[in-house]
Amino acid sequence: MENQIYERLRQKLDQYGVGFPNAESGIEMQILKKFFKPEEAELFLFLDLKPETAESIAKCGNKKSGAVEEILDQMFEKGLVFRRRKKGVAKFGALPFAPGIFEQQSETMDETQASLFEGYYKEVFHKNFTETEPVLIHRPIPVNREIDVSYPMAVYDHSREIVRNQDLIAVTKCICRVQKGVLDKSCDKPVETCLMFGSQARYYMDRGTGRQISTDEALEILDLCEDAGLVTMPFNTQAPANICNCCSDCCVVLGTLKKHPRPAEVLKPSFQAFVNRDLCEACETCLEHCPMDAIHVERDDAAEIDQDRCIGCSLCVNVCPPQAIQLKQKPENERVTPPETGMHMFMEIAKRRGVVPMAISKQ
């Protein structure tokens, strides 16, 4: 009976975010049992992405609302559910495994969790990050402040404009570098680099996994990340709920894309980098900064960029000493507009994965 509950929980999580697929080894069940107590797993089955009161959730499960709210509060403290309070009333919603539950372990990640996720990612989970092209949970945008464009730049392609449009901002640790760090596999990049906005920022602040910062502090973090060679990766919507700053060494999204033979085909980036051969000095500075290994230099010849691998992050533009590399915006008919909201994005991802994002049980 207990195993059946965890399998139903797995099926429900597989509907959300990038999913939660079966692994031949059964490691996904070890992860669920590490995070969820049996009563928590059972209660999660009665949650939807849209937050509801404990009373409403209790009715679905034929349980007492007081006991249900106590369990839900415990699950909130563990980062297993979303909770928001308005006028003294708490509402609770389901969280995807990723992005969601996994990211909420930044302050409690231990070696067991880190090892389980590493094994799960390598065995099967990595496939879920490229099967939904071009609708991924995050997408790279240019990091540099000055871009040669032929059209007005959309706000969702401009990290600093995204930040300036926010009323509430929190910063939290990059869960990917935290997880790799627990296993002594992390790079030397900054860790407190993920920016959360609005209700997401409030959620992180309420849990103590993020701290509120000002707009100026957020812009300084973007500068820090740019100098560190991190790729700016907002949530893939027209009004992003967050901005991650990622490296291909640790990040599950960038790391998976780097292994793909044609990352640009997966992402459909709005920008791509080009080399002015007359200015290029073949110094190879750009090579070590490209997260997709898209640049190569033959002997003393000019650098060449493989457009099948270029994701338009502009890190190479920033470090080129003779300023021989330019980032150019693609023609409008070749650019992909992100989904309008997070719900639209998750629905589209679910559709492409062939699953229906609905509650498994509301009995």
Side-chain angles (χ1 to χ4, degrees), residues 168-170 200-213:
L168 180 64
I169 307 174
Q200 286 294 315
R202 176 62 61 190
Y203 176 64
Y204 276 80
M205 290 161 56
D206 288 347
R207 290 205 63 249
T209 52
R211 61 182 180 85
Q212 185 175 358
I213 59 174

Side-chain angles (χ1 to χ4, degrees), residues 140-161 226 232 270-274 312-315 317-318 325-330 335:
I141 60 174
V143 298
N144 61 308
R145 298 156 193 156
E146 295 182 7
I147 304 167
D148 178 19
V149 296
S150 301
Y151 303 93
M153 190 172 178
V155 170
Y156 53 73
D157 279 330
H158 198 308
S159 60
R160 286 164 179 79
E161 287 305 308
E226 185 175 321
T232 306
S270 297
F271 300 85
Q272 286 186 303
F274 296 88
C313 68
S314 79
L315 287 174
V317 178
N318 284 10
I325 307 179
Q326 286 186 322
L327 197 72
K328 296 184 179 181
Q329 191 176 43
K330 287 184 175 181
R335 302 199 300 269

Side-chain angles (χ1 to χ4, degrees), residues 226-238:
E226 185 175 321
D227 292 340
L230 295 173
V231 179
T232 306
M233 300 267 284
F235 204 52
N236 192 12
T237 66
Q238 294 177 40

Side-chain angles (χ1 to χ4, degrees), residues 80-334:
L80 303 180
V81 298
F82 180 81
R83 186 185 74 185
R84 71 181 182 201
R85 291 189 183 276
K86 191 173 183 179
K87 296 181 179 179
V89 178
K91 291 188 176 182
F92 302 86
L95 281 178
F97 180 75
I101 293 171
F102 176 59
E103 283 77 3
Q104 287 303 314
Q105 310 311 309
S106 61
E107 299 299 322
T108 57
M109 179 70 66
D110 58 28
E111 189 171 352
T112 300
Q113 285 183 353
S115 297
L116 285 172
F117 181 78
E118 188 84 352
Y120 184 52
Y121 171 77
K122 289 181 178 179
E123 182 177 352
V124 66
F125 201 42
H126 67 93
K127 298 176 183 178
N128 284 39
F129 289 91
T130 53
E131 289 178 349
T132 59
E133 59 186 69
V135 185
L136 305 181
I137 56 173
H138 290 279
R139 63 188 187 89
I141 60 174
V143 298
N144 61 308
R145 298 156 193 156
E146 295 182 7
I147 304 167
D148 178 19
V149 296
S150 301
Y151 303 93
M153 190 172 178
V155 170
Y156 53 73
D157 279 330
H158 198 308
S159 60
R160 286 164 179 79
E161 287 305 308
I162 293 173
V163 166
R164 292 188 184 104
N165 283 342
Q166 306 305 321
D167 294 324
L168 180 64
I169 307 174
V171 64
T172 186
K173 295 177 182 177
C174 167
I175 189 59
C176 297
R177 286 192 281 280
V178 168
Q179 183 257 340
K180 291 289 187 180
V182 171
L183 299 176
D184 293 326
K185 295 181 179 180
S186 184
C187 62
D188 60 353
K189 306 295 186 184
V191 175
E192 196 182 42
T193 56
C194 293
L195 302 177
M196 302 293 160
F197 310 131
S199 61
Q200 286 294 315
R202 176 62 61 190
Y203 176 64
Y204 276 80
M205 290 161 56
D206 288 347
R207 290 205 63 249
T209 52
R211 61 182 180 85
Q212 185 175 358
I213 59 174
S214 66
T215 299
D216 287 342
E217 288 177 285
L219 294 174
E220 289 173 2
I221 288 173
L222 288 180
D223 291 341
L224 172 69
C225 293
E226 185 175 321
D227 292 340
L230 295 173
V231 179
T232 306
M233 300 267 284
F235 204 52
N236 192 12
T237 66
Q238 294 177 40
N242 63 49
I243 292 179
C244 291
N245 291 282
C246 308
C247 64
S248 57
D249 296 319
C250 305
C251 174
V252 293
V253 178
L254 275 188
T256 303
L257 287 170
K258 188 173 184 177
K259 296 174 184 177
H260 196 281
R262 296 176 299 281
E265 182 180 288
V266 176
L267 285 171
K268 304 290 191 297
S270 297
F271 300 85
Q272 286 186 303
F274 296 88
V275 177
N276 184 329
R277 297 179 62 85
D278 294 333
L279 295 177
C280 181
E281 299 173 352
C283 66
E284 301 189 359
T285 301
C286 55
L287 269 64
E288 62 187 78
H289 287 81
C290 178
M292 292 293 110
D293 293 337
I295 309 174
H296 64 276
V297 177
E298 295 291 340
R299 298 181 183 177
D300 294 329
D301 200 2
E304 292 188 11
I305 298 176
D306 183 349
Q307 297 300 337
D308 285 336
R309 297 199 61 80
C310 177
I311 60 174
C313 68
S314 79
L315 287 174
C316 58
V317 178
N318 284 10
V319 299
C320 179
Q323 299 182 330
I325 307 179
Q326 286 186 322
L327 197 72
K328 296 184 179 181
Q329 191 176 43
K330 287 184 175 181
E332 190 171 8
N333 64 347
E334 295 182 19

